[in-house]
């Protein structure tokens, strides 16, 4: 208790270190707990789901599974669109629209609302955003997605959306499933809940759902039960009897039957024959033409006539229309429909094998699949076929044919030929003709037998488990804040060491006396350690309490001023006893190890050294050459790092510069130490105060070094983090920048089905006359929904969104830059790597490098696994990482790969626009106006990047502030070193006074010495940082900016000055003459 | 040169108890004169010396130094007088270990903060070092010298600015007999050669007898012995 002041100081150091460590660990727990809480808020009691995506099952399935498995279930019709508040005309794109029944609300804490057909319940986030209240009217514009993919051939695109005008009947909070979403993301979704029945009716999907929710987590049981209860209609299949002779036709509500289903059904021992019917533009001879006819590719078993690749059978009607005879040739002209409904007309020549009579089985209108817009058309002129129909070509006889025979095919080719000409990713059959003596019901059962929901990518998944895992394995804030707080912890440790060292130094006589009285070294050491434990234990306890407070401050900051880093303000504090224990134990270890080491070192000095006040602290042992060698080695290594980086590309090797900077600090410090220990001095005779100060600085060089290194590293880190803040420097218009040279990034709630770079596409959307459109280039992407893998999502991401990109377009433009690529990627044309053939179901992909490293926790060469629409696992291999770009959050694959594996994703919902820089404002305006009903969300590419940069910049700001605080605390170490030096030099200072140095002069001398220390440390750090940020400095557009950096450096310097000034003043006020007295 | 008039010095401890170290001491030191002050340990000899040199202030009384009242002078002024007119030698040489011999003796030359040492001062240092038989050791450090050599260097340091008075507090206290005698003789030589007045506090009666006047301090009071 006698030395309570010293012990209090040591307690402070230990308390600080423990507080920061514990606080950082608690932040990690708090964020993880918050994310898990959000999962519970999102899912309520939902454990598993059946995501239908583009598939729909009957709502009966949910009821049957619920009864069989005795678990609560609900069916949902899940869609997307936009919401409009008609009073204010405010729009909310990216709204999820859920058709629900009363069963849905039972997954929440309390059942909520039974929706009528004209009512809607909105989530709290929607109500807040649009300032809605109960009873307000809103309009929902909903994507018109049904059984048939919009991408499928001959599907009408006339209506891509429909609208519903609804009254707000409720605002659902978290307790009432208001936060429901399938995505692992802490951000609040915007949701509108409507009556399932009303929505289904609007979408012409009555009795269907594309999402099942279950309270059970037993997915095996759920999947088995699903397989048992699914009907043919749930597979999208329709079985009809053709006649009463045992002939049936199996078709699909999706027009095309999935190949996997065909494969399974063909494994049955049934007489089934495949048919592929297609709409051709014309059937022509040299001088005649029959427009818009159906032609069927038929299984050879459907006819006795052997059909070769170019053989064709025609019906009587066609033969008469075109004056055809056996052996004549004709041409079929037809459209092949590519992505964004790009139509390419192709043709194929055939030779007429035979003219078939109308009495054959082939002459049947049921061979035409139920193309919507065709099947129910009253006349040819009513056709909505999804392709341009020249009504002038349709003759009266064509209308007559339609009236009488409907879509009965006029010609037949081999199935093989049909598959070659009209191959679609949705399936290569439009029908199966089955011959059996089984009744319809039995046949249905037989056909169902080999089918499995997995054949069409339908299976239950444990969503809750997956979400909890994503929350648990997300960004580790504990580790993050530990690393961000590194300097504070280091400073606290340093303070503890210095204070203990100072404490022991002042009590050196006591230690020597104990030794002289017969206490062994171990006994004295034990006494010192026990004293320290008595200080450390309360320090750690207080540190834990302070750490809890620190955590509250951090969580508050994350929810407010640093909310850019976490994109939510709903983080909660959560404290685990284990974490407190860990923090406390770490604090004890952190305190006692250095204390033990310092105590041991001090006590090892001899009695004589401790009693006689010999200035043994002057290190004149001779300068070991090893130090010089090390210094030179560090310097050379730094040079070699930089040389290598320059030779291989500075942008790709910027990390080497950081390493070089750190090595330079090492070189400077070791050089200082070597120089300080030299017995010869640099000038022959000291002749000035300045030189005296420099000579004095070399005393206790090791002690000074500790403080200088901390100052250097702290300054280095502060400069680096400030320089690496991502800002725009006028390069964003360049193709190689993160914007790719595009002006706008657009996201749409509803798909754009057409290519806006074509005249037809522009006309379809009425954009052809807009100002500047002729020089505007649109880059449209297919989008597969998934988790947001950008830095805006704190959860670990398993399945990021995927964009299908035009690799050739991006290659020609040389857009974007790459941080890293695998060796297989050609450096000159990196984008073409997306077109590489890596094997069956293996797809090369790019993503932002930061997403790969931090979002996916992967590296180049790693893979992600998705299930495609055919139910097959596809492997997506990461072959390249982009520099920070607008694509952040997405995986990029070649568009043809996208279409192959996810064919039903129709149109583009993400788009980039390259416009004339002088017309950007106008183009932005008409895009907003003309695409408003598509739920357009339009941002400049700069804004988008700035949004991502805000996360990085926030983390850098936090690091800069915490690091700066650590360095400021480190300057206290400077003060402690100074006090210790003053104590040891009391006699020297008294002598200076005796020989006529005024207090002022003495003050100046000592101040100068320590100022050199401060400046040396900080300047070393700045030089090292200049090397570290060399790549940025060499960039013509680099702009350091301020962002508080200058303030922080100023505060560090000021704190250093204060901690030099104050101890000096205090010391010089005291009587120091006693050290000169002989008595 | 120095006149002490009714000097008293007392210390008050934390408990408020007063201890009188010097009681009404009067003393005059004339130019070129040598005085020895003897007395038991703790009698106030060093305190008296410090007051004479302006290192300490009396509780009562006046210290006139070359006609100026040292006791009421400001710190800066008194430091300037100490630098230019007084030379101190202590029992422990107090050479700075980080400076070599030459640098140590030149130290008083930079007392005015930032001023450079003149060439003339360096020459004087060389001459003085030769006088005390330390020529050739200018570049050596205190750790490389004997106690006697260090003390002789301290003497040179005290004389570098040509002071009027030299105040020595047990200058031979840490030396062996031979070195002590050597130093004592040097002090006399310095007095004779450089006409420097001296006040020497010492236990060594042999040294004290060599001075012009010997005082004894007993119970804080000064008594003339010789």
């Amino acid at each position: 208790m006698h030395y309570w002041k010293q012990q209090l100081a040591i307690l402070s150091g230990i308390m600080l270190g423990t507080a920061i460590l514990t606080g950082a660990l608690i932040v990690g727990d708090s964020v993880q707990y918050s994310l898990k809480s959000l999962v519970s808020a999102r899912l309520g009691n939902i454990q598993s789901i059946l995501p239908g995506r583009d598939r729909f099952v009957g709502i009966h399935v949910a009821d049957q599974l619920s009864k069989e498995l005795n678990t609560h279930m609900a069916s949902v019709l899940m869609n997307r669109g936009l919401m409009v508040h008609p009073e204010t005309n405010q729009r909310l794109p990216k709204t999820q629209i859920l058709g629900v029944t009363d069963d849905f609300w039972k997954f929440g804490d309390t059942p909520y609302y039974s929706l009528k057909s004209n009512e809607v319940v909105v989530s709290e986030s929607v109500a807040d955003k649009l300032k809605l209240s109960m009873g307000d009217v809103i309009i929902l514009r909903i994507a018109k997605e049904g059984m048939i993919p919009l991408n499928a051939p001959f599907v009408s695109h006339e209506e891509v959306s429909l609208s519903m005008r609804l009254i707000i009947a409720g605002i659902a909070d978290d307790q009432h499933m208001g936060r429901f979403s399938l995505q692992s993301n802490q951000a609040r979704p915007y949701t509108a809940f409507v009556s399932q029945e009303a929505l289904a009716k609007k979408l012409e999907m009555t009795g269907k759902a594309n999402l099942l929710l279950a309270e059970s987590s037993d997915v095996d049981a759920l999947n088995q039960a699903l397989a048992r209860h699914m009907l043919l209609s749930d597979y999208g299949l329709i079985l009809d009897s053709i006649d009463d002779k045992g002939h049936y036709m199996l078709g699909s509500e999706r027009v095309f039957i999935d190949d996997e289903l065909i494969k399974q059904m063909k494994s049955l021992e049934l007489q089934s024959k495949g048919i592929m019917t297609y709409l051709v533009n014309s059937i022509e001879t040299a001088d005649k033409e029959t427009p818009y006819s159906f032609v069927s590719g038929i299984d050879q078993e459907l006819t006795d006539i052997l059909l070769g690749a170019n053989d064709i059978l025609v019906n009587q009607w066609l033969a008469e229309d075109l004056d055809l005879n056996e052996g004549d040739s004709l041409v079929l002209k037809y459209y092949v429909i590519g992505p964004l409904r790009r139509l390419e007309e192709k043709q194929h020549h055939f030779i007429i094998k035979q003219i078939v009579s109308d009495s054959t089985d082939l002459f049947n209108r049921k061979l035409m699949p139920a193309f919507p817009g065709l099947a129910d058309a009253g006349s040819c002129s009513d056709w909505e076929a999804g392709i341009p129909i020249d009504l002038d070509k349709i003759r009266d006889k064509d209308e007559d044919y339609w009236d009488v025979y409907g879509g009965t095919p006029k010609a037949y080719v081999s199935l093989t030929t049909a598959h070659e000409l009209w191959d679609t990713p949705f399936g290569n059959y439009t029908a199966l003709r089955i011959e059996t003596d089984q009744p319809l019901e039995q046949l249905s059962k037989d056909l169902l037998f080999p089918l499995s929901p997995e054949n069409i990518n339908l299976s239950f998944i444990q969503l809750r488990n997956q979400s909890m895992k994503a929350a648990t394995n997300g960004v580790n804030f504990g580790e993050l804040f530990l690393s961000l707080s590194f300097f504070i912890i280091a400073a606290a440790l340093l303070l503890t060491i210095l204070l203990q060292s100072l404490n022991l130094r002042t009590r050196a006589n006591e230690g020597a006396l104990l030794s002289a009285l017969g206490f062994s070294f171990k006994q004295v050491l034990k006494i010192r350690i026990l004293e320290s434990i008595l200080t450390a234990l309360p320090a750690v306890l207080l540190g834990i309490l302070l750490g809890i407070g620190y955590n509250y401050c951090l969580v508050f900051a994350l929810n407010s001023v640093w909310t850019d880093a976490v994109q939510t303000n709903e983080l909660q504090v959560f404290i685990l006893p284990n974490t407190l224990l860990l923090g406390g134990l770490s604090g004890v270890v952190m305190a006692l190890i250095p204390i033990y080491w310092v105590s041991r070192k001090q006590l090892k000095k001899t009695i004589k050294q401790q009693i006689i006040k010999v200035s043994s602290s002057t290190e004149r042992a001779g300068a070991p050459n090893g130090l010089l060698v090390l210094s030179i080695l560090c310097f050379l290594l730094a040079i070699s790092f930089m040389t290598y980086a320059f030779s291989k590309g500075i942008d790709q090797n910027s990390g080497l510069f950081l390493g070089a900077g750190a090595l330079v600090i090492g070189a400077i410090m070791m050089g200082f130490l070597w120089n300080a220990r030299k017995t010869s001095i640099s000038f022959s005779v000291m002749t000035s105060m300045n030189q005296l100060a420099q000579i004095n600085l070399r005393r206790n060089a090791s002690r000074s070094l500790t403080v200088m290194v901390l100052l250097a590293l702290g300054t280095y880190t502060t400069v680096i983090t400030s320089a690496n803040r991502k800002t725009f420097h006028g390069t964003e218009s360049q193709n190689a920048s993160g914007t790719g040279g595009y002006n706008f990034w657009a996201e749409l709630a509803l798909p754009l089905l057409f290519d806006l770079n074509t005249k037809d596409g522009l006309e379809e959307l009425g954009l052809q006359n807009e100002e500047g459109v002729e020089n505007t280039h649109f880059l449209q992407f297919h989008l597969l929904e998934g988790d947001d893998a950008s830095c805006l999502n704190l959860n670990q991401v398993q399945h990021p969104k995927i964009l299908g990109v035009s690799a050739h377009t991006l290659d020609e433009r040389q857009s974007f830059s790459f941080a890293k690529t695998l060796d297989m990627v050609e450096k000159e044309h990196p984008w073409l790597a997306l077109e590489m053939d890596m094997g069956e179901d293996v797809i090369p992909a790019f993503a932002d490098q930061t997403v790969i490293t931090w979002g996916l926790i992967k590296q180049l060469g790693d893979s992600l696994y998705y299930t495609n629409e055919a139910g097959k696992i596809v492997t997506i291999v990461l072959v390249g990482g982009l520099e920070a770009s607008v694509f952040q959050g997405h995986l990029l694959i070649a568009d043809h790969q996208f279409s192959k594996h996810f064919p039903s994703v129709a149109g583009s919902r993400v788009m980039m626009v390259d416009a004339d820089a002088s017309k950007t404002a106008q183009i932005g305006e008409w895009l907003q106006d003309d695409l408003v009903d598509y739920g357009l969300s339009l941002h400049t590419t700069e804004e988008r990047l700035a949004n991502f940069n805000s996360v990085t910049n926030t983390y850098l700001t936090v690091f800069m502030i915490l690091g700066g605080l650590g360095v400021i605390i480190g300057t206290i170490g400077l003060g402690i070193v100074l006090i210790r030096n003053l104590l040891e030099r009391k006699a020297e200072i008294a002598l200076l006074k005796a020989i006529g140095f005024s207090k002022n002069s003495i003050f100046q001398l000592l101040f100068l010495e320590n100022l050199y220390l401060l400046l040396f440390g900080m300047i070393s750090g700045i030089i090292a940082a200049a090397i570290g940020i060399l790549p940025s400095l060499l960039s013509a557009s680099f702009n350091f900016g301020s962002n508080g950096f200058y303030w922080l450096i100023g505060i560090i310097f000021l704190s250093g000055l204060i901690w030099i000034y104050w101890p000096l003043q205090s010391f010089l006020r005291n009587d120091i003459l006693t050290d000169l007295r002989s008595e | 040169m120095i006149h002490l008039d009714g000097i008293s010095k007392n210390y008050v401890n934390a408990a408020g108890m007063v201890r009188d170290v010097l009681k009404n001491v009067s003393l005059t030191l004339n130019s070129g004169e040598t005085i020895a002050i003897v007395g038991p340990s703790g009698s106030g000899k060093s305190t008296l010396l410090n007051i004479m040199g302006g290192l300490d202030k009396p509780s009562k009384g006046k210290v006139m130094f070359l006609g100026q009242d040292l006791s009421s002078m400001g710190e800066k002024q008194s430091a300037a007088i100490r630098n230019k007119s007084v030379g101190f030698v202590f029992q422990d040489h107090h050479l700075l270990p980080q400076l070599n011999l030459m640098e140590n003796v030149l130290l008083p030359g930079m007392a005015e903060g930032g001023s450079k040492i003149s060439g003339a001062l360096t020459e004087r240092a060389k001459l003085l070092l030769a006088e005390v038989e330390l020529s050739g050791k200018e570049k050596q450090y205190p750790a490389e010298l004997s106690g006697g050599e260090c003390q002789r260097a301290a003497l040179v340091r005290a004389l570098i600015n040509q002071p009027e008075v030299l105040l020595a507090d047990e200058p031979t206290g840490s030396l062996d007999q031979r070195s002590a005698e050597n130093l004592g003789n040097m002090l006399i030589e310095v007095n004779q050669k450089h006409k420097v007045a001296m006040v020497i506090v010492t236990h060594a009666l042999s040294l004290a007898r060599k001075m012009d006047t010997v005082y004894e301090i007993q119970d804080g009071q000064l008594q003339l012995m010789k």
Side-chain angles (χ1 to χ4, degrees), chain B residues 185-206:
Chain B
N185 292 335
M186 277 187 189
L187 286 170
I188 303 298
E189 275 174 38
V190 160
N191 167 253
Q192 286 167 359
K193 190 173 175 186
H194 297 280
K195 307 294 179 206
V196 176
M198 263 183 221
V199 179
I200 297 178
V201 162
T202 185
H203 279 124
L205 288 175
S206 56

Side-chain angles (χ1 to χ4, degrees), chain A residues 111-142:
Chain A
Y112 194 53
Y113 200 83
S114 195
L115 284 159
K116 299 191 182 67
S117 60
N118 64 338
E119 290 177 336
V120 63
V121 167
V122 296
S123 60
E124 263 187 334
S125 52
V126 168
D128 291 342
K129 188 82 175 171
L130 297 183
K131 312 242 183 310
L132 297 170
S133 318
M134 301 277 284
D136 283 352
V137 170
I138 56 113
I139 295 170
L140 288 180
R141 190 162 281 282
I142 307 163

Side-chain angles (χ1 to χ4, degrees), chain A residues 63-73 214 216 218-226 228-229 460:
Chain A
D63 294 333
Q64 285 167 336
L65 260 59
S66 178
K67 282 195 188 103
E68 182 179 320
L69 299 175
N70 195 28
T71 183
H72 181 64
M73 290 192 66
S216 165
D218 188 351
V219 292
D220 289 335
L222 284 164
N223 283 324
Q224 282 165 17
L226 179 69
R228 282 194 293 275
H229 290 285
F460 278 91

Side-chain angles (χ1 to χ4, degrees), chain A residues 1030-1075:
Chain A
L1030 204 55
S1032 300
L1033 286 174
L1034 290 175
S1035 159
S1037 57
F1038 176 68
N1039 180 1
F1040 196 77
S1042 63
N1043 300 307
F1045 157 74
Y1046 295 115
W1047 280 106
L1048 197 55
I1049 292 289
I1051 289 169
I1052 292 170
F1053 185 66
L1054 189 64
S1055 178
L1057 288 179
I1058 290 170
W1059 282 100
I1060 297 171
Y1061 180 85
W1062 176 60
L1064 271 181
Q1065 279 289 6
S1066 304
F1067 180 83
L1068 290 175
R1069 259 198 296 266
N1070 294 330
D1071 176 19
I1072 50 173
L1073 292 176
T1074 48
D1075 278 57

Side-chain angles (χ1 to χ4, degrees), chain A residues 80-156:
Chain A
R80 60 174 186 280
L82 63 145
M83 194 178 301
V84 184
H85 188 193
E87 277 182 39
T88 60
N89 211 27
Q90 261 194 296
R91 284 157 191 272
L92 197 59
K94 294 190 196 178
T95 304
Q96 61 175 358
I97 295 162
L98 305 176
V100 300
T101 63
D102 293 353
D103 285 333
F104 173 80
W105 304 111
K106 291 174 187 169
F107 285 109
D109 283 353
T110 52
Y112 194 53
Y113 200 83
S114 195
L115 284 159
K116 299 191 182 67
S117 60
N118 64 338
E119 290 177 336
V120 63
V121 167
V122 296
S123 60
E124 263 187 334
S125 52
V126 168
D128 291 342
K129 188 82 175 171
L130 297 183
K131 312 242 183 310
L132 297 170
S133 318
M134 301 277 284
D136 283 352
V137 170
I138 56 113
I139 295 170
L140 288 180
R141 190 162 281 282
I142 307 163
K144 196 175 176 206
E145 289 179 350
M147 295 289 291
I148 305 170
L150 285 172
N151 260 356
F154 314 119
V155 172
S156 169

Side-chain angles (χ1 to χ4, degrees), chain A residues 1005-1016:
Chain A
L1005 176 67
L1006 296 171
F1007 190 88
L1008 202 59
E1009 284 171 29
N1010 289 277
L1011 185 63
Y1012 278 137
L1013 213 65
L1014 177 65
L1015 288 173
F1016 193 82

Side-chain angles (χ1 to χ4, degrees), chain A residues 424-443:
Chain A
T424 83
F426 303 100
N428 289 306
Y429 292 82
T430 54
L432 266 188
R433 193 172 186 276
I434 302 169
E435 226 174 281
T436 178
D437 51 9
Q438 300 279 12
L440 183 78
E441 206 178 308
Q442 185 55 47
L443 179 59

